[in-house]
Amino acid sequence: MAGAHDYYSVLGVSKGASADELKKAYRKLAMQYHPDKNPGDKAAEAKFKEINEAYDVLRDDQKRAAYDRLGHAAFTQGGGNNAGGGGFAGGDPFGFNFGGGGGMGGFADIFDEMFGDFMSGGGGQRGQAGAGRGNDLRYNLEISLEDAFKGSQAQVRIPSSISCDSCHGSGAKAGTQPTQCPTCAGHGKIRAQQGFFTIERTCPACQGAGRVIKTPCPSCSGAGRIRKERTLKVDIPAGVEDGTRIRLAGEGEAGLRGSAPGDLYIFLAIKSHPLFQRDGADLHCRVPLPMTTAALGGEIEIPTIDGVPVQVSINPGTQTGQQYRLRGKGMKVMKSSQRGDLYVETVVETPRNLTARQQELLREFAADSSNNNPETQGFFGRVKEFIDGLKG
């Protein structure tokens, strides 16, 4: 017995403390006084042993009842510790037994509670289920802007591994069954103690499957899967953007020997469009305008992504780069009823290959249009001021 102090006082709890209160108090003190955190500190070592002793008694209902009645006398002369199967026999020199069984100390239980899932990859059967899981697959799919707008269904051919029909994925020859791995007792993992830590690693005998095959299936050589190309249908939702990833759960490679399959990820790329440029949910369309339409104004017909043309009124004096916004004529927004806008950007086209009569008319127009080009006049006015400034 490490000491004769009152166990409740050692843990800093009341006599009526609940099991959760005991565990919380013990966890805090054990972390504080553990020898690994206080190397060479004999006082901390003694305190740590006393804390462990107190918790080992109070965590056990029978020992706690005996202690409440008789105090420390309940555990002398072959009493409580020996009869209860607990105590501090074996394992850690500071009162921890990492070997399992009735002698496991309280701190080992708390450590396993705090870190068990992390060390075992999820603990229990979850680690076994993940063993041999099939690989995830990636498929790059290129679609048109129209398909991205309205949504579509595509067929893809995937070279992959599928479950073997002969053994139904078990890996064992027909008429036989896999047997439990004797090395890990079917858990898929084995434990090894390394000082203060208990480390779990994949069983080397069954590679984490938890089962061994004595008579492999001749069709798949015991793998439980074979190579084969599959054709899948992929639903593409309306409004998808370039780079959208679609996950098809369980459509990746088949797992080894009946383990869970991987997933298939479809990565979408949208082809360039001859009329529209996309910016999120908005579309942009550059529309060339005859010089006369830009000068005089008029009506032009604009295509839209849904195939319904729209009439747009061009204002007189429209310049290159001027935009007209058509609300709600852009792309659909995925998983929403909203739509983006369509921006029409004008490009004024200068006429080419003029006839003699056209050239004559333009010269007459130019001679009488001194006040029709304010930007031109303003620019060259600034040029003149700049040159005059240099001379002056």
Side-chain angles (χ1 to χ4, degrees):
M1 186 175 295
H5 294 103
D6 177 68
Y7 286 152
Y8 292 102
S9 298
V10 169
L11 295 180
V13 297
S14 66
K15 193 170 183 179
S18 65
D20 287 341
E21 291 172 332
L22 287 171
K23 181 184 288 188
K24 183 177 180 181
Y26 173 73
R27 182 185 305 188
K28 179 179 179 180
L29 293 170
M31 289 290 189
Q32 180 180 352
Y33 289 101
H34 193 277
D36 286 352
K37 288 192 173 183
N38 303 275
D41 188 338
K42 297 298 182 181
E45 179 181 326
K47 180 68 173 176
F48 179 74
K49 293 174 69 176
E50 188 176 43
I51 293 166
N52 192 62
E53 177 183 311
Y55 184 61
D56 186 72
V57 170
L58 298 182
R59 68 194 287 264
D60 185 288
D61 291 340
Q62 294 182 353
K63 293 181 183 180
R64 182 175 180 177
Y67 178 75
D68 288 343
R69 290 195 308 270
L70 304 174
H72 293 287
F75 307 107
T76 59
Q77 299 178 351
N81 279 342
N82 294 330
F88 308 100
D92 191 282
F94 302 108
F96 289 94
N97 179 1
F98 288 92
M104 179 169 289
F107 191 77
D109 290 343
I110 290 179
F111 184 85
D112 186 64
E113 174 190 310
M114 294 170 64
F115 302 107
D117 282 352
F118 171 76
M119 301 299 289
S120 64
Q125 296 299 318
R126 286 166 52 191
Q128 179 179 338
R133 179 183 181 273
N135 291 325
D136 294 336
L137 297 178
R138 170 174 177 154
Y139 187 92
N140 296 326
L141 179 62
E142 192 175 50
I143 62 174
S144 67
L145 186 64
E146 291 86 348
D147 285 341
F149 167 74
K150 63 186 179 182
S152 63
Q153 188 178 77
Q155 284 193 339
V156 297
R157 298 178 65 86
I158 307 293
S160 178
S161 294
I162 64 172
S163 180
C164 175
D165 292 333
S166 300
C167 64
H168 304 290
S170 70
K173 184 178 179 180
T176 68
Q177 293 292 332
T179 59
Q180 186 183 81
C181 175
T183 303
C184 64
H187 295 295
K189 295 181 180 294
I190 57 176
R191 288 191 173 192
Q193 180 182 341
Q194 295 186 2
F196 180 62
F197 295 97
T198 300
I199 307 299
E200 278 193 352
R201 59 187 178 91
T202 301
C203 175
C206 64
Q207 285 76 49
R211 307 179 302 276
V212 293
I213 297 174
K214 295 183 178 180
T215 309
C217 170
S219 299
C220 62
S221 302
R225 61 186 184 183
I226 57 175
R227 298 290 296 178
K228 188 176 181 179
E229 188 173 70
R230 295 181 295 147
T231 300
L232 297 174
K233 291 183 178 180
V234 182
D235 291 322
I236 301 171
V240 293
E241 297 192 29
D242 194 83
T244 297
R245 185 185 71 172
I246 299 175
R247 174 176 174 259
L248 301 181
E251 295 294 351
E253 284 195 338
L256 282 172
R257 301 175 183 175
S259 296
D263 300 330
L264 172 62
Y265 291 91
I266 307 293
F267 284 80
L268 300 179
I270 300 177
K271 301 176 185 177
S272 60
H273 197 275
L275 296 178
F276 303 110
Q277 292 79 45
R278 184 176 184 177
D279 181 15
D282 296 330
L283 292 176
H284 294 261
C285 181
R286 287 169 58 88
V287 179
L289 285 180
M291 184 180 68
T292 52
T293 303
L296 301 175
E299 295 283 330
I300 61 172
E301 190 174 79
I302 300 298
T304 60
I305 190 64
D306 53 12
V308 180
V310 175
Q311 294 291 323
V312 176
S313 296
I314 300 299
N315 297 325
T318 293
Q319 305 295 313
T320 291
Q322 187 168 336
Q323 287 189 341
Y324 292 83
R325 181 182 182 183
L326 305 181
R327 296 182 182 274
K329 295 298 181 180
M331 294 292 291
K332 292 180 179 178
V333 178
M334 193 165 62
K335 299 180 181 180
S336 172
S337 60
Q338 296 181 342
R339 283 186 62 174
D341 301 328
L342 172 61
Y343 291 88
V344 176
E345 182 178 338
T346 59
V347 180
V348 180
E349 184 178 17
T350 302
R352 301 178 182 180
N353 303 319
L354 299 176
T355 64
R357 175 58 178 160
Q358 290 171 333
Q359 293 180 30
E360 181 182 355
L361 291 173
L362 283 177
R363 289 190 184 96
E364 291 179 6
F365 174 77
D368 194 33
S369 60
S370 58
N371 296 321
N372 297 114
N373 300 293
E375 289 191 20
T376 301
Q377 294 172 350
F379 173 77
F380 286 106
R382 292 191 295 274
V383 170
K384 184 177 184 304
E385 291 177 359
F386 173 72
I387 294 176
D388 289 344
L390 293 177
K391 292 179 178 180

